[in-house]
Amino acid sequence: VPTHTFNDFALSDKTKATLEFLGFTTPSAIQDQAITPALEGRDVIGLANTGTGKTAAFLLPIIEKLLKTPTRNSVLILSPTRELAQQIDAEFKRFAAGQKLYSAVCVGGANIGRQIRDLQRNPHVIIATPGRLKDLLERRIAVLGEVDTFVLDEADRMLDMGFVHDIRHVATLLPTNRQTMCFSATMTPEVKVIMDEFMNDPVIVSVRRGETSDHIDQDIVEAYDKEDKIEKLTALLHKDELEKTIVFCDTKFGAQRLADRLSKDGLPAVAIHGNKSQSQRERALKAFKTNAVNIMVATDVAARGLDIPNVSHVINFDQPKVYEDYVHRIGRTGRAGNTGKALTFVQGGARGDSPRAPRPPRENRDEARPPRAEFRKKPSLSIPMHPQPNRRKKMPSSKIAEARLVNLIEGS
């Protein structure tokens, strides 16, 4: 439970007025505990579930620092995806409105010429993905010698995506006398190594409530084959209760095909994946956020960091390969204290059967989960079932559904 209001923090009157205008009065748990040490200049490690306000936890102290010492090119924020980088930039502009602080976003898939011009204007804050920043460094465009605040947002995701060497290279170019903040949803061994390398006596703030949010109701849906999955997905999406839905697929081709199929079947959908240009992705996200369409089909590029309000349902059309991806996919719903629902398709039953309760999980499964590394085995979709199509059974509880999904993802 937060012990502060935003007025309790050592923020400028302008920033407090902006927060009040935006309707921010009570900080989230991660903001409540991370803002004060960040304002004091300490290195901070923030561990929190998705959708808990990590972005403001580092942006507000950064803005306060810049108001006191508005050094150009003094803040570098690294993000795993271009969508998250743009979201951070949008939040920075909201919180720093009217304070003459400027930012530049440097991400792949967008016009590099414009980004070069933005950097040549010497912004206060550079928000970048590791790959594009590496390109700009090789061109001798980006200047990092003045950076005194370094932020790694969604650090676990960046390492999962293979950016560890790029991040290390960037760190060697930064002044050693700097403040470093690292925010992550999980503390993997790889993240711990990076934190040990980059940080100096950090304050650790952990407000993780568990692997999945208590606000998310989790169920499974059994399907006989791919066509049966599509039929059942279509039937689900026709229900009024699915007001705003993200459907996750494994591949960019599969995501696009599914979005096209749904649109053809009278369910307008947009797709977001790696084959889309930056402008196409922005248009798709805008259409979904503004409710021009209420279905978005995505690959895991959208599973981390994006703050899309009021997503009522997440549907895993394809199962995620590792448990952490499952956690972050379903984290798109049930955000900011709201309730949400996550459905995951699994193989089983006969064509046309209604969803049924899963097998009981292993004894004491929730109390003794194996280490995270064990989740990286390929899932097995072969599940022995005993169809009873004439007998209705209750849908599984969230904990039972989650336990079964863990079994699947592990390959048990």
Side-chain angles (χ1 to χ4, degrees):
V1 177
T3 58
H4 302 89
T5 67
F6 282 109
N7 283 329
D8 296 329
F9 297 124
L11 300 171
S12 69
D13 290 340
K14 283 187 177 181
T15 301
K16 288 179 180 178
T18 299
L19 290 171
E20 184 178 358
F21 175 77
L22 294 173
F24 288 81
T25 54
T26 303
S28 67
I30 186 68
Q31 295 162 2
D32 187 57
Q33 298 182 44
I35 287 177
T36 296
L39 285 169
E40 294 171 351
R42 299 283 304 275
D43 285 3
V44 175
I45 296 171
L47 301 173
N49 299 70
T50 57
T52 53
K54 295 192 293 291
T55 304
F58 62 79
L59 282 181
L60 292 176
I62 285 172
I63 290 169
E64 196 61 30
K65 187 174 185 178
L66 288 172
L67 290 175
K68 295 176 181 176
T69 311
T71 307
R72 300 279 180 154
N73 299 306
S74 63
V75 178
L76 174 63
I77 302 172
L78 288 187
S79 152
T81 67
R82 46 190 162 179
E83 285 81 14
L84 180 55
Q86 290 169 331
Q87 182 176 296
I88 293 169
D89 184 53
E91 290 295 285
F92 175 77
K93 286 179 167 61
R94 280 212 306 163
F95 294 139
Q99 308 208 52
K100 296 184 179 180
L101 298 175
Y102 305 104
S103 59
V105 179
C106 303
V107 297
N111 188 307
I112 195 170
R114 180 177 177 178
Q115 296 174 12
I116 290 172
R117 291 193 295 273
D118 288 343
L119 288 176
Q120 289 172 340
R121 295 188 182 102
N122 294 316
H124 299 93
V125 179
I126 301 171
I127 306 166
T129 52
R132 178 49 59 94
L133 181 61
K134 180 182 179 182
D135 189 2
L136 291 165
L137 287 169
E138 290 172 350
R139 297 180 185 221
R140 301 182 183 275
I141 300 297
V143 178
L144 304 182
E146 297 296 322
V147 171
D148 59 20
T149 305
F150 181 36
V151 179
L152 294 169
D153 192 21
E154 300 283 4
D156 49 351
R157 181 62 171 168
M158 280 194 283
L159 299 183
D160 285 345
M161 295 170 70
F163 288 130
V164 60
H165 298 300
D166 292 340
I167 293 171
R168 283 197 170 106
H169 175 64
V170 168
T172 63
L173 304 177
L174 302 178
T176 55
N177 184 24
R178 66 173 188 266
Q179 180 183 23
T180 302
M181 292 184 276
C182 181
F183 289 81
S184 180
T186 57
M187 174 66 90
T188 64
E190 295 84 0
V191 171
K192 189 176 188 309
V193 168
I194 287 293
M195 291 176 177
D196 290 342
E197 285 182 22
F198 294 170
M199 309 188 85
N200 178 31
D201 188 27
V203 175
I204 300 175
V205 176
S206 179
V207 296
R208 296 177 66 213
R209 298 184 301 273
E211 294 302 331
T212 55
S213 171
D214 295 334
H215 299 287
I216 304 172
D217 182 23
Q218 303 166 64
D219 279 341
I220 59 172
V221 180
E222 293 173 359
Y224 176 73
D225 57 16
K226 184 69 170 285
E227 192 59 33
D228 194 32
K229 281 172 69 176
I230 293 176
E231 290 175 4
K232 288 180 176 176
L233 175 64
T234 302
L236 283 168
L237 292 172
H238 274 295
K239 294 182 177 181
D240 292 339
E241 65 190 76
L242 277 77
E243 298 173 352
K244 195 179 185 77
T245 305
I246 301 178
V247 182
F248 281 105
C249 293
D250 271 350
T251 68
K252 48 196 174 185
F253 302 106
Q256 189 62 56
R257 282 196 298 267
L258 183 58
D260 293 342
R261 172 72 178 268
L262 292 173
S263 297
K264 184 178 178 182
D265 291 344
L267 291 163
V270 294
I272 177 171
H273 51 72
N275 273 1
K276 295 278 189 179
S277 69
Q278 182 65 16
S279 60
Q280 288 173 323
R281 290 162 75 153
E282 288 176 1
R283 285 196 298 271
L285 282 170
K286 183 179 180 180
F288 187 62
K289 286 184 176 181
T290 60
N291 297 318
V293 297
N294 62 5
I295 302 168
M296 183 170 75
V297 185
T299 55
D300 284 307
V301 70
R304 296 290 290 270
L306 287 182
D307 186 12
I308 301 172
N310 303 318
V311 174
S312 63
H313 288 70
V314 166
I315 298 177
N316 291 307
F317 187 76
D318 296 323
Q319 290 178 36
K321 292 294 188 295
V322 295
Y323 181 70
E324 285 84 356
D325 284 346
Y326 173 75
V327 171
H328 295 301
R329 282 185 182 188
I330 72 171
R332 298 311 95 207
T333 187
R335 295 172 74 83
N338 296 318
T339 58
K341 188 161 187 174
L343 301 171
T344 300
F345 278 91
V346 300
Q347 184 176 333
R351 185 183 295 278
D353 282 353
S354 298
R356 294 183 303 279
R359 296 177 299 165
R362 284 209 305 260
E363 185 178 1
N364 297 329
R365 180 51 195 264
D366 287 337
E367 288 74 23
R369 236 178 226 158
R372 293 277 77 86
E374 292 186 30
F375 289 116
R376 298 187 178 275
K377 299 176 183 177
K378 291 284 283 184
S380 170
L381 297 181
S382 179
I383 310 168
M385 300 298 299
H386 303 285
Q388 299 179 20
N390 296 323
R391 181 181 173 188
R392 290 182 62 84
K393 294 185 180 181
K394 294 181 179 179
M395 285 297 290
S397 69
S398 283
K399 290 301 179 184
I400 293 175
E402 183 178 358
R404 184 181 181 189
L405 289 165
V406 173
N407 275 323
L408 289 172
I409 294 169
E410 278 191 308
S412 299

